Amino acid sequence: FFESNGAKIIGIVEHDVAAYNPSGINVEQLSLWRKEHGTFRGFPDAQIISEPMTVLEAECDVLIPAALERQIGLRNAHRIRAKLIGEAANGPVTPGADEVLRTNGKVIIPDLLLNAGGVCVSYFEWAKNLSHLRFGRMNKRWDERSKEQLLALVEGNAGRELSEVERRQLIHGAEEHELVYSGLEDTMIVACNETRQTALEKNIDYRTAAMANSINKIAASLAGSGSIFTHA
């Protein structure tokens, strides 16, 4: 996702080695190489580093520790040079390291927020299973017919008919996976904005802000349902 949006990927860490190239790594080519050879070793367009965790300390704008917990601890937190750390694993930064990083002026996007996409989609799946109705079932054809009417009006005013390919691209109603992606994007945008707003209002870090928002939402849900007045 980062590469497709214009970012330059300079380092990728695997369990045995890391690939590093300050001029940028073609992620697709590296992925194909690993798929064919089972390792990054021998990849011609990057330096292969036998101590992979040292790449976490490379100078960069964004560092994304993923897949493994406790990657950044007191042993290496003071050597992290990234400006922003995005936790794409569960607990990749220890509490002690978190304090060191924030003291050093680093911005941390916590796992509670950044790593929540899978849980959100699981909730969508649960909601769908409860209704026994796939997303888009009720409105896809209606959306397509509405778009057909709008296109007919546009073609009449423009004096040109669209090709069949153009019509299919514009009229196409959203498939279920497209609706899920849309719902996920909206959910994450709202959550990020809420976290940032709370952090600014209370002058706290993003991790604490995300936790505060979560606790407030749980409390509001319990109060609204009356469960807050019951005993376990």
Side-chain angles (χ1 to χ4, degrees):
F1 287 120
F2 269 75
E3 187 180 46
S4 63
N5 284 280
K8 180 170 68 175
I9 311 300
I10 65 171
I12 300 177
V13 176
E14 258 293 348
H15 66 93
D16 55 345
V17 295
Y20 177 74
N21 185 342
S23 298
I25 297 172
N26 186 304
V27 175
E28 183 177 0
Q29 290 180 4
L30 181 60
S31 177
L32 291 173
W33 179 275
R34 185 181 183 279
K35 184 177 181 180
E36 181 179 352
H37 299 88
T39 179
F40 288 169
R41 296 183 190 277
F43 183 67
D45 296 327
Q47 178 187 356
I48 304 303
I49 299 175
S50 58
E51 295 291 336
M53 300 305 288
T54 60
V55 174
L56 297 177
E57 303 164 13
E59 186 172 355
C60 62
D61 294 318
V62 179
L63 174 64
I64 305 177
L68 186 67
E69 63 182 13
R70 304 179 70 86
Q71 298 176 48
I72 302 175
L74 292 177
R75 69 190 183 282
N76 62 351
H78 61 285
R79 295 195 295 270
I80 299 298
R81 290 186 281 176
K83 301 171 185 175
L84 183 148
I85 295 94
E87 295 184 330
N90 294 325
V93 177
T94 66
D98 179 270
E99 184 174 354
V100 170
L101 292 168
R102 287 189 290 106
T103 300
N104 291 339
K106 312 300 183 183
V107 176
I108 302 174
I109 309 300
D111 53 357
L112 177 66
L113 177 63
L114 185 63
N115 204 29
V119 178
C120 291
V121 173
S122 293
Y123 169 76
F124 296 159
E125 184 179 18
W126 174 76
K128 184 188 78 168
N129 290 340
L130 286 179
S131 67
H132 300 284
L133 193 67
R134 66 174 173 81
F135 298 131
R137 181 75 177 269
M138 300 295 292
N139 62 320
K140 179 181 178 180
R141 301 304 176 192
W142 185 88
D143 286 342
E144 289 180 346
R145 283 195 293 270
S146 298
K147 291 177 181 179
E148 284 179 345
Q149 293 174 355
L150 179 60
L151 279 181
L153 180 62
V154 171
E155 287 176 331
N157 289 333
R160 182 181 80 86
E161 290 189 1
L162 298 176
S163 69
E164 187 60 31
V165 172
E166 290 173 328
R167 292 187 67 84
R168 282 202 303 268
Q169 290 176 340
L170 293 173
I171 292 175
H172 168 70
E175 301 292 345
E176 185 173 36
H177 71 278
E178 294 170 323
L179 292 171
V180 170
Y181 282 137
S182 176
L184 175 60
E185 181 179 10
D186 184 65
T187 300
M188 296 304 296
I189 288 173
V190 170
C192 287
N193 288 337
E194 289 176 346
T195 301
R196 185 173 183 274
Q197 182 177 355
T198 299
L200 291 174
E201 288 178 353
K202 300 183 180 299
N203 193 28
I204 54 180
D205 61 275
Y206 290 135
R207 190 187 308 280
T208 305
M211 289 292 292
N213 287 345
S214 299
I215 293 170
N216 286 334
K217 288 180 179 180
I218 293 172
S221 178
L222 290 173
S225 66
S227 298
I228 198 171
F229 301 108
T230 62
H231 297 285

